[in-house]
Amino acid sequence: MMARRVGRMSPFNITALALGMAFLYLPIVILVIYSFNASRLVTVWGGWSLRWYHEFLNDRAMLDAAWMSLRVAAVSATIATLLGTLAAVGLVRGERFRGRTLFSGMLYAPLVMPEVISGLSLLLLFVALNAERGFWTVTIAHTTLTMCFVTVVVQSRLASLDRSLEEAAMDLGCDPVQAFVRVTLPLILPAIAAGWMLAFTLSLDDVVIASFTTGPGSATLPIRIYSEVRLGVKPEINAICTMVIALIAVLIVIASLASKLSGARGESAAPL
């Protein structure tokens, strides 16, 4: 009786949930709908049309910015995933090494550090090194931003993993490296994939750090959109944002499936 009463949602909870979902997603829904608006005025509905998607595909500057964002996101997410996974292994498997607390604090600092401070500090670093700002400076900056998020995701999976599985593999003749590659790595692979997708999404969305570290001819899509919006919202921007939302939604679904797969593998691999 108590379980049935707890599982039932009250009208207040339903109303609060509906208002919260509307607050979060109603602006996005309106943006998606108006991306199919045939009228040039974003506040006037002129019927359904794919006109602005066609305009985006013919806008060379926007396409170059989108391609720049995709390249930066893919490269920075890959590097951040590699470094973040190694950092997670070091934090979980090296519980007693000297300086662990300092290393952990420095690793998680970008999670709470304002992006303006991170972007300015990276800009000063690149200026001091006399590095030409462009693709690689933005990639390094995004790697710095997203590596800590990958570490958190992979570390949580490693912390919940039963180490007796590796010990059993070593008892059967594997050395520690082989046991990690053959046993642990397949079990944490979905978490690594989820970390990569999170890093990719964060890089694709960033505008503050990229604005500090980018150079001439290497503007990312968020920077390009921001510069266009300052002069007025064009219907083409609605179409671009809708395509980005669709891409991020696909990545979220894939990450969710990877997380479920990781949990299922962990349960199936648990000793009876």
Side-chain angles (χ1 to χ4, degrees):
M1 185 70 174
M2 181 64 68
R4 184 181 302 174
R5 185 175 301 175
V6 171
R8 184 182 304 168
M9 294 185 64
S10 65
F12 175 79
N13 291 337
I14 295 175
T15 303
L17 178 62
L19 291 176
M21 296 294 286
F23 178 78
L24 290 174
Y25 293 105
L26 186 59
I28 298 177
V29 172
I30 294 174
L31 183 146
V32 172
I33 292 175
Y34 272 89
S35 70
F36 298 98
N37 184 14
S39 173
R40 180 172 291 274
L41 300 176
V42 294
T43 58
V44 178
W45 181 255
W48 297 94
S49 175
L50 296 175
R51 171 186 177 184
W52 306 116
Y53 290 90
H54 185 265
E55 290 285 340
F56 166 67
L57 295 177
N58 291 327
D59 190 335
R60 189 62 188 177
M62 280 291 184
L63 289 176
D64 290 342
W67 176 236
M68 177 72 177
S69 290
L70 290 174
R71 287 191 297 144
V72 169
V75 176
S76 64
T78 301
I79 299 174
T81 300
L82 177 61
L83 297 178
T85 301
L86 294 176
V89 173
L91 288 174
V92 174
R93 300 298 169 85
E95 298 91 345
R96 299 180 181 178
F97 71 88
R98 183 175 299 177
R100 182 182 186 276
T101 303
L102 177 61
F103 175 73
S104 178
M106 294 178 64
L107 186 65
Y108 296 145
L111 288 171
V112 295
M113 186 78 68
E115 291 189 3
V116 173
I117 297 178
S118 298
L120 181 59
S121 61
L122 287 167
L123 172 61
L124 295 176
L125 173 64
F126 294 140
V127 170
L129 296 176
N130 198 23
E132 183 180 355
R133 283 176 288 164
F135 171 81
W136 285 110
T137 55
V138 179
T139 300
I140 293 171
H142 283 186
T143 301
T144 304
L145 170 68
T146 58
M147 188 184 74
C148 54
F149 291 91
V150 177
T151 303
V152 170
V153 174
V154 178
Q155 183 182 2
S156 63
R157 179 63 184 128
L158 273 172
S160 63
L161 196 65
D162 189 357
R163 293 196 64 174
S164 62
L165 298 174
E166 280 191 19
E167 295 172 357
M170 288 187 286
D171 289 340
L172 294 174
C174 291
D175 58 42
V177 176
Q178 289 177 332
F180 179 83
V181 172
R182 296 185 178 183
V183 177
T184 304
L185 188 59
L187 292 175
I188 67 172
L189 190 58
I192 294 174
W196 186 92
M197 294 175 192
L198 178 61
F200 181 88
T201 303
L202 291 172
S203 174
L204 198 65
D205 176 67
D206 177 73
V207 64
V208 177
I209 293 179
S211 64
F212 280 97
T213 56
T214 191
S218 58
T220 59
L221 183 60
I223 294 177
R224 184 71 186 181
I225 291 176
Y226 178 72
S227 63
E228 293 282 349
V229 168
R230 287 188 300 175
L231 302 176
V233 180
K234 299 192 303 183
E236 180 185 346
I237 296 178
N238 293 337
I240 299 169
C241 293
T242 300
M243 296 175 69
V244 173
I245 292 170
L247 176 61
I248 294 176
V250 171
L251 291 178
I252 291 174
V253 172
I254 295 175
S256 178
L257 294 176
S259 178
K260 292 181 180 179
L261 180 59
S262 176
R265 286 186 176 182
E267 294 177 359
S268 62
L272 298 176

